Amino acid sequence: MSPIDETTIARVARGGPADVEAAVAAARTGSDIWGAMPTAERAGILHAVGEGVEKRADELALVETRDNGSLLRSMRTSVMPRVALNFHSFADQLLQLAEPDLETRGHTNHVEWDPSGVTVVITPWNAPLMLATWRVAPALAAGNAVILKPPEWAPLTASMLGDIVHDAGLPDGAFNVVQGIGEEAGAELVAHPGVDRIAFTGSVATGRLVAAAAAQNLTPTSLELGGKSPFVAFADADLDAVVKQAVNQFDNAGQVCLAGTRLIVERAVFDEFLGRFVAATETLRQGDPRDEATDLGPLITRQHFERVDGFVKRAKAAGAHVLMGGGPNEELGGLYYSPTLFVDAPAGAEILTQEVFGPVLTAQPFDDEDEAIALANGTDYGLAAILYTGDPDRADRVSRRLVAGTVWVNSFFVRDLRVPFGGSRNSGVGREGGVRSFDFYADVKNICVAPWERS
């Protein structure tokens, strides 16, 4: 069902145990062929996959927008190019993968990255193809076969990716798609003894279930979970930039795990910030995401819409004040929710501590660095943080004290696929990016060689 108008757009298979068994069997066969392939040949095929994505980028963008309600212009200009980059980047990193040999009492230590076998990738619906390929690409680069279980709420581009990798020359069984419900196909996959790695992106609750199932087989698992990221702005920051970036946190109707949903602003500029933020948000155009002029699309499903609205209603009942929005967009109807800002939420309130995953932000003032850091770190999450200041020393000082896997200073959403990415606390387990991806998706081996006697 499309969130744009709540109409059915496709019928997708509901995979079960038999489909999972078939996929694991195919992947185990495919992994032997793919893993034995020379790295230069593997990298060449991955580049071909990236080129295949580029050739079909407009089609992929249209399908994903219809499927999950994301802005078409974003799909075309940033999301699909990032999908292609995932393959190109990890293909290049594969060819550069090396550590310097180390000498120990005349012995030489040499590191190799052996394919681990079969990787299961389970991804969310808010950016299904981009977030899938962020894991699929390095797993394939490491020589693993991959089984992708896409989100049941936005599954369509995963099947298109299957066609692209086939056309690029990936051997049979090296890439597999199992459509289905998370509690059914997903649960079967993460508990399967024939799986060697699991990469999951989703909620904290589901992440716990995945980890528990994986533990039965001691399957290494990488978890990217929820976020409740702080957006900290000091009075010495460029307020124009702060307001512009704060409004950007409504991107994808707030369905972004990295979004800085807690606006924490120094009291000296707090009131001015609020006025300018509200005025800027009122210029956003909400509507059909296929329209190039649209800034804010719908929520993904009726179920999720009710979840977001539940957070808003409970926040009001708890005493938080609605400064803007506070309910569905009555003019548009459907799954469109008005961008919402709360102020004066009680300390420790649910709206300040739990992930809403919708166009709902909070704003809090602070008086000094210690208070700003205490507010920023005042959740069980630690995925990302945004910090705005005009003082380089403060930027360094505060960044070091923020609990987050990524801290963006005077910026947001700048990603280099060579650097580590992941969450602290309940936001996840493990880091990926660069060599850390290969460390997870491969079996890292040290070969220690004694000195050779010269004859």
Side-chain angles (χ1 to χ4, degrees):
M1 185 186 74
S2 174
I4 298 173
D5 52 15
E6 298 185 87
T7 59
T8 300
I9 57 173
R11 296 191 180 277
V12 180
R14 185 169 180 166
D19 302 282
V20 169
E21 289 298 333
V24 173
R28 297 224 66 84
T29 299
S31 67
D32 292 339
I33 301 169
W34 178 244
M37 192 176 289
T39 55
E41 190 174 349
R42 275 208 313 268
I45 291 175
L46 291 177
H47 277 302
V49 175
E51 291 164 3
V53 170
E54 291 162 349
K55 290 176 182 176
R56 298 184 66 180
D58 285 346
E59 180 187 4
L60 289 164
L62 283 166
V63 170
E64 193 141 293
T65 291
R66 185 71 168 141
D67 204 14
N68 85 334
S70 296
L71 297 184
L72 180 58
R73 71 167 189 254
S74 296
M75 285 287 162
R76 286 175 169 160
T77 61
S78 60
V79 177
M80 292 309 158
R82 165 65 191 278
V83 171
L85 179 63
N86 284 339
F87 289 102
H88 290 309
S89 177
F90 282 103
D92 290 338
Q93 291 181 50
L94 171 61
L95 297 178
Q96 300 164 4
L97 188 62
E99 283 190 10
D101 290 348
L102 298 174
E103 297 296 322
T104 306
R105 298 193 301 277
H107 296 60
T108 301
N109 292 278
H110 176 74
V111 175
E112 291 283 347
W113 288 263
D114 293 344
S116 61
V118 175
T119 295
V120 164
V121 176
I122 300 178
T123 52
W125 44 263
N126 58 320
L129 193 58
M130 187 268 281
L131 292 176
T133 54
W134 155 242
R135 258 68 184 275
V136 168
L140 288 174
N144 296 348
V146 171
I147 303 171
L148 172 61
K149 209 299 283 182
E152 55 265 33
W153 286 355
L156 299 182
T157 50
S159 292
M160 297 171 69
L161 179 63
D163 295 334
I164 292 171
V165 300
H166 174 77
D167 293 343
L170 215 71
D172 290 347
F175 180 76
N176 311 268
V177 177
V178 176
Q179 299 282 9
I181 308 298
E183 294 85 348
E184 298 170 2
E188 290 279 342
L189 282 166
V190 298
H192 200 290
V195 169
D196 301 290
R197 294 291 188 276
I198 298 168
F200 172 80
T201 306
S203 71
V204 174
T206 305
R208 290 191 175 104
L209 295 176
V210 170
Q216 300 305 306
N217 298 312
L218 294 180
T219 308
T221 304
S222 176
L223 302 173
E224 182 191 330
L225 307 177
K228 190 70 173 176
S229 300
F231 183 119
V232 180
F234 284 85
D236 60 5
D238 179 345
L239 195 56
D240 289 336
V242 170
V243 171
K244 181 179 179 180
Q245 198 65 270
V247 174
N248 285 342
Q249 304 313 302
F250 286 124
D251 183 48
N252 203 27
Q255 299 167 131
V256 178
C257 59
L258 294 167
T261 57
R262 295 181 294 130
L263 308 176
I264 301 169
V265 181
E266 192 165 3
R267 194 179 302 276
V269 295
F270 185 70
D271 289 341
E272 182 181 358
F273 165 79
L274 289 180
R276 293 173 63 174
F277 175 83
V278 170
T281 302
E282 288 174 346
T283 68
L284 296 178
R285 179 175 174 179
Q286 190 167 27
D288 191 322
R290 294 167 296 186
D291 186 335
E292 292 289 324
T294 296
D295 300 304
L296 205 67
L299 296 178
I300 182 73
T301 64
R302 178 61 55 182
Q303 177 183 340
H304 187 61
F305 183 94
E306 296 298 337
R307 179 182 181 274
V308 170
D309 194 46
F311 270 101
V312 171
K313 289 176 178 175
R314 291 192 298 275
K316 292 177 182 177
H321 175 63
V322 176
L323 195 62
M324 178 185 66
N329 187 318
E330 301 294 349
E331 292 183 8
L332 293 174
L335 300 180
Y336 295 88
Y337 206 90
S338 298
T340 296
L341 178 66
F342 280 104
V343 295
D344 301 325
E350 177 191 60
I351 199 66
L352 295 174
T353 59
Q354 299 302 310
E355 184 177 44
V356 178
F357 219 61
V360 180
L361 308 183
T362 61
Q364 300 167 274
F366 69 86
D367 290 306
D368 55 38
E369 282 187 20
D370 287 341
E371 185 181 11
I373 292 163
L375 291 172
N377 291 341
T379 75
D380 292 330
Y381 295 98
L383 186 56
I386 302 166
L387 170 62
Y388 270 80
T389 177
D391 183 342
D393 292 335
R394 170 180 280 150
D396 181 67
R397 195 166 57 240
V398 174
S399 294
R400 292 174 185 275
R401 295 179 64 188
L402 293 173
V403 179
T406 300
V407 178
W408 281 287
V409 178
N410 297 336
S411 59
F412 179 59
F413 220 56
V414 178
R415 287 291 310 280
D416 188 316
L417 299 181
R418 297 168 298 180
V419 302
F421 180 82
S424 303
R425 295 179 173 167
N426 284 354
S427 287
V429 176
R431 295 290 186 273
E432 295 185 42
V435 71
R436 293 165 184 83
S437 289
F438 290 94
D439 286 347
F440 174 70
Y441 292 108
D443 286 325
V444 185
K445 175 192 295 179
N446 180 58
I447 302 171
C448 184
V449 182
W452 293 100
E453 294 187 8
R454 308 279 181 188
S455 57

